[in-house]
Amino acid sequence: MSAKNLKLIKNPLSKENPITVQVLGICSALAVTAQVKPALVMAISVIVVVALSNVIISLMRNTIPPRIRIIVQLLVVAMMVILVDQFLKAFVYDVSKQLSVFVGLIITNCIVMGRLEAFAMQNKPWESFLDGIGNGLGYGLILVIVAFFRELFGSGTLLGFQIIPESWYAANGGFYYNNGFFILPPMALIIVGVIIWIHRSRNKDLCEN
Amino acid sequence: MQDLLNLFIRSIFIDNMIFAFFLGMCSYLAVSKTVKTSMGLGIAVVFVMVITVPINYLLDNYVLKEGALTWISPGFASVDLSFLTFILFIAVVASIVQLLEMIVEKFAPALYNALGIFLPLIAVNCAILGASLFMQGKGFESVGETVVYALGSGIGWLLAIVGIAAIREKLRYSQVPAPLKGLGITFIITGLMGIAFMSFLGIKL
């Protein structure tokens, strides 16, 4: 893999992160981060959808009339999302129930449309595929970080396994309480805000004026 | 009547699209720099929502659901087209937005200039598709209920974006740490607004 292609995957992880820098795809991201497992499934679904629809649009890029390109893109993305949704329903039904409408909302996830418009319309299929994988990973990374803190402090578990020792809890004579606030929606926003803060204070050139 | 009012209040404050479900965050963050533009986008969202959600409701009940096609012939009772939900809903949203853009351009040029760039953006606003998908799970009994739900959700979204825009206008004069400026502080303020909105959970409806 050439250095240029490697960059396509590495850049979105930090310097061009879809969530903290490009501000794309926040819509369906935050609601699924109360636990790590749905966040992981969501991240994988988005990686698959972005990568495959990037390839399809890139293959068709010279034949799509510019005036109707949004509708064509939406239809391709919707098709990929239907495939992912049916797959989840068939193999991991409980997670699919937990994600509810948010799988469907991958269609309008700006990260997918954003990459199609900004990258796949101008580049060859292989590069587009890598770009999709990279951006999906960058998105998934933030999702998993947020879910990690929310599940650990909110429920004391990770992926469903108990991490905080049972004997620490006040119910068993200990001193510890779960912080129920982490489970609630506003905390997801605040955690992302803090992630952006840390990320930008380490990369000064990303700061806004 | 009271049920409709309850539904209206609930969809504005308690099930607020932004603070409870994070839907439509992209345009919420991108277009909330001034109150004026955010008002324009908010009104456009309310407009599109009130039109598309009832259409999707009819589509769901007369085409997609299992047994929904019996009005054509009783033989279709076992047909279940619900796997087509996403593609049909998004097609409806995209085409209504396109249609609306043409109509507004022709008959209300002033409004078109005000909304101009925002109208096409709305096709990919997740709040719109989200409202349609939530509608599916709520099992409304009439079109009237669906319209009220769509209106409430739209107004809730409008309220949120105008609120954050007003705060961001004031924020320009305060000293925010450089790395937190812009995006970061907006997230944290949205979180705080979300906490404020959670107090509506106490309302018994």
Side-chain angles (χ1 to χ4, degrees):
Chain A
M1 202 180 282
S2 67
K4 193 169 142 268
N5 285 351
L6 199 64
K7 237 179 162 178
L8 285 177
I9 290 200
K10 260 165 84 185
N11 267 356
L13 289 183
S14 163
K15 239 190 265 163
E16 286 168 21
N17 189 286
I19 293 191
T20 61
V21 182
Q22 304 178 53
V23 206
L24 295 174
I26 294 146
C27 322
S28 50
L30 299 174
V32 300
T33 52
Q35 286 167 341
V36 176
K37 196 174 166 199
L40 268 179
V41 174
M42 184 72 181
I44 294 168
S45 314
V46 170
I47 293 174
V48 170
V49 173
V50 185
L52 293 184
S53 38
N54 250 1
V55 171
I56 295 177
I57 289 293
S58 167
L59 285 171
M60 302 198 300
R61 70 184 185 282
N62 295 325
T63 52
I64 301 175
R67 278 188 71 89
I68 57 158
R69 65 178 196 286
I70 302 275
I71 299 221
V72 174
Q73 290 166 1
L74 275 179
L75 288 181
V76 169
V77 176
M79 208 179 68
M80 296 327 296
V81 171
I82 290 176
L83 288 182
V84 168
D85 184 47
Q86 298 290 324
F87 184 86
L88 289 182
K89 273 191 186 141
F91 292 99
V92 276
Y93 188 72
D94 53 324
V95 181
S96 159
K97 267 271 160 292
Q98 229 173 338
L99 291 173
S100 68
V101 303
F102 292 97
V103 178
L105 288 174
I106 297 177
I107 300 173
T108 49
N109 194 326
C110 345
I111 189 180
V112 184
M113 294 291 287
R115 289 333 287 174
L116 292 181
E117 270 291 286
F119 200 88
M121 289 297 281
Q122 286 98 32
N123 289 282
K124 292 206 185 85
W126 175 238
E127 277 89 26
S128 305
F129 178 73
L130 293 177
D131 181 75
I133 297 272
N135 277 284
L137 282 175
Y139 167 91
L141 185 71
I142 301 289
L143 228 62
V144 171
I145 294 176
V146 176
F148 175 83
F149 286 111
R150 285 183 77 187
E151 190 175 348
L152 183 61
F153 292 114
S155 327
T157 58
L158 280 179
L159 283 168
F161 296 108
Q162 192 70 33
I163 298 293
I164 311 280
E166 292 280 0
S167 56
W168 285 15
Y169 281 102
N172 300 334
F175 58 92
Y176 187 82
Y177 290 93
N178 279 332
N179 188 344
F181 189 51
F182 273 80
I183 299 292
L184 300 172
M187 204 55 207
L189 290 163
I190 294 176
I191 294 178
V192 174
V194 172
I195 291 176
I196 292 173
W197 189 1
I198 296 169
H199 187 224
R200 291 198 178 175
S201 49
R202 295 182 52 163
N203 298 281
K204 290 278 184 226
D205 48 325
L206 292 175
C207 293
E208 291 170 45
N209 295 316
Chain B
M1 194 60 219
Q2 208 193 344
D3 286 349
L4 289 184
L5 195 66
N6 282 351
L7 182 66
F8 186 63
I9 301 288
R10 168 171 283 275
S11 51
I12 294 183
F13 293 109
I14 301 175
D15 293 340
N16 187 289
M17 277 289 161
I18 294 215
F19 300 127
F21 301 114
F22 314 104
L23 296 181
M25 283 299 282
C26 300
S27 23
Y28 170 86
L29 291 169
V31 198
S32 62
K33 292 209 173 81
T34 60
V35 173
K36 212 174 153 222
T37 48
S38 62
M39 194 79 186
L41 181 68
I43 291 170
V45 166
V46 175
F47 210 50
V48 174
M49 228 184 232
V50 170
I51 296 175
T52 53
V53 178
I55 291 181
N56 283 338
Y57 173 80
L58 294 175
L59 210 59
D60 189 38
N61 275 298
Y62 292 102
V63 182
L64 294 172
K65 264 190 197 158
E66 187 172 3
L69 284 170
T70 39
W71 59 274
I72 297 178
S73 122
F76 288 138
S78 61
V79 177
D80 182 5
L81 292 177
S82 54
F83 66 94
L84 288 175
T85 302
F86 297 151
I87 210 159
L88 273 183
F89 278 14
I90 197 67
V92 166
V93 173
S95 41
I96 291 289
V97 167
Q98 198 95 57
L99 206 67
L100 213 66
E101 201 186 344
M102 287 192 263
I103 294 174
V104 172
E105 189 180 10
K106 182 102 169 79
F107 295 106
L111 183 66
Y112 179 76
N113 286 335
L115 297 180
I117 40 167
F118 303 128
L119 265 179
L121 270 180
I122 289 176
V124 286
N125 187 325
C126 11
I128 310 265
L129 185 66
S132 295
L133 292 175
F134 279 127
M135 170 274 295
Q136 240 190 343
K138 283 182 189 273
F140 292 130
E141 277 159 16
S142 66
V143 181
E145 270 181 32
T146 319
V147 173
V148 169
Y149 172 71
L151 188 67
S153 306
I155 292 179
W157 199 86
L158 172 91
L159 209 65
I161 194 172
V162 173
I164 192 79
I167 294 178
R168 283 180 82 172
E169 278 191 1
K170 292 281 174 220
L171 212 60
R172 224 169 292 151
Y173 306 107
S174 34
Q175 289 180 317
V176 180
L180 206 52
K181 251 185 197 160
L183 191 59
I185 195 73
T186 312
F187 265 106
I188 292 179
I189 290 174
T190 310
L192 296 178
M193 284 167 80
I195 295 172
F197 263 67
M198 276 175 58
S199 57
F200 289 113
L201 281 175
I203 300 177
K204 285 255 180 336
L205 286 176

